[in-house]
Amino acid sequence: MIKGIWFYGMSNAGKTFSSNYLVKIMKKQVLIIDGDGVRKYISNDLGYTLKDRKIQIKRVFVISKISIKSYIFPII
């Protein structure tokens, strides 16, 4: 069973478009976790070094785990 979807890629690759499309067609509660939003509101203490990026990914992963435990399908 798929518990979530994580998109990654270059800017303007269609990640946000694809996420919004999935929200429209899915028949369950969905939470879009936008990496830029997480960086702005939660990870504003981080930069863009490799170490900071790894911390950012861990934070996003934890948010998605909380979503799954709440029976909400995360799209990251």
Side-chain angles (χ1 to χ4, degrees):
M1 175 195 311
I2 297 173
K3 295 184 179 183
I5 296 174
W6 192 310
F7 289 107
Y8 64 94
M10 301 294 289
S11 295
N12 293 319
K15 300 178 299 290
T16 300
F17 176 83
S18 299
S19 298
N20 290 330
Y21 178 76
L22 286 173
V23 168
K24 290 178 184 176
I25 65 170
M26 294 187 73
K27 304 278 192 245
K28 54 176 83 174
Q29 284 189 316
V30 175
L31 173 64
I32 293 180
I33 304 170
D34 179 32
D36 291 333
V38 173
R39 185 171 289 279
K40 181 177 179 181
Y41 297 110
I42 297 171
S43 297
N44 55 7
D45 59 324
L46 300 176
Y48 290 91
T49 66
L50 182 58
K51 180 182 175 185
D52 287 348
R53 289 173 186 263
K54 288 179 180 180
I55 294 169
Q56 166 77 352
I57 289 169
K58 287 180 184 178
R59 290 179 183 179
V60 170
F61 185 69
V62 169
I63 295 168
S64 66
K65 286 176 68 173
I66 292 168
S67 172
I68 291 167
K69 287 186 178 196
S70 299
Y71 304 102
I72 299 171
F73 189 87
I75 300 176
I76 303 109

